[in-house]
Amino acid sequence: MNLELTPKQMRRLLDIAYIGNWILNATRGDDRFKDYDEVESLLFAKAREQGMSALTDDWNGVAVPSQAFVDGGIHEAIMEYENNVFFEILAEDLARRDMDDAPIDEKNYQELATRIDAYISEFEQHGTDNILIDSDIV
């Protein structure tokens, strides 16, 4: 297969590959999806061949994202995504809890959506500052 990319497109492809591999493998420890590591390595090796050597380092003979790449803002993008997803999941979990985890259907969907929106609004205004644990539990 031959894929023609501009340098900007190649950089975006590196970002996408890195983010995807991070999501799939960052928490897996030694049980990584190695085939995704291999694809990421292949792409970073190709980037080096295309004059983007500042984005690639070698580790144990394998092309990996360089520290310059990692420090170049990619983790801020990942953290922003994780932050948004965290609050969305938390809002839905709390809304469902408030509804006694009732199955959601057309009759109560609007109630769920309203509760989720209320939690999202709270999180946008105060983050997690108003989430408390009963001191009797701790």
Side-chain angles (χ1 to χ4, degrees), residues 4-120:
E4 298 289 327
L5 300 171
T6 67
K8 184 176 182 177
Q9 290 170 326
M10 182 63 175
R11 175 57 199 251
R12 298 299 179 253
L13 183 59
L14 294 174
D15 290 348
I16 291 168
Y18 182 86
I19 290 168
N21 198 26
W22 175 268
I23 289 170
L24 288 169
N25 279 323
T27 62
R28 297 189 62 82
D30 291 336
D31 190 29
R32 294 177 66 86
F33 294 114
K34 292 183 182 15
D35 50 339
Y36 288 92
D37 287 333
E38 291 169 4
V39 170
E40 180 187 75
S41 179
L42 176 66
L43 288 172
F44 276 88
K46 291 289 183 188
R48 178 186 295 139
E49 292 172 10
Q50 299 300 314
M52 300 176 163
S53 59
L55 302 178
T56 304
D57 284 336
D58 283 312
W59 184 72
N60 293 335
V62 176
V64 295
S66 69
Q67 197 60 49
F69 176 86
V70 172
D71 292 341
I74 197 74
H75 279 277
E76 286 80 3
I78 292 169
M79 287 181 358
E80 182 178 337
Y81 168 78
E82 289 174 342
N83 191 47
N84 288 331
V85 169
F86 167 77
F87 283 114
E88 289 171 7
I89 291 170
L90 181 59
E92 183 171 347
D93 284 353
L94 292 172
R96 286 177 179 272
R97 178 211 57 193
D98 293 349
M99 296 172 64
D100 297 322
D101 292 314
I104 304 303
D105 57 27
E106 65 277 350
K107 294 176 192 157
N108 62 1
Y109 177 79
Q110 188 55 50
E111 178 185 356
L112 176 67
T114 300
R115 288 176 182 270
I116 290 171
D117 289 344
Y119 278 113
I120 293 293

Side-chain angles (χ1 to χ4, degrees), residues 87 122-131:
F87 283 114
E122 171 65 25
F123 298 148
E124 287 173 349
Q125 292 176 18
H126 304 285
T128 58
D129 292 345
N130 292 331
I131 296 177

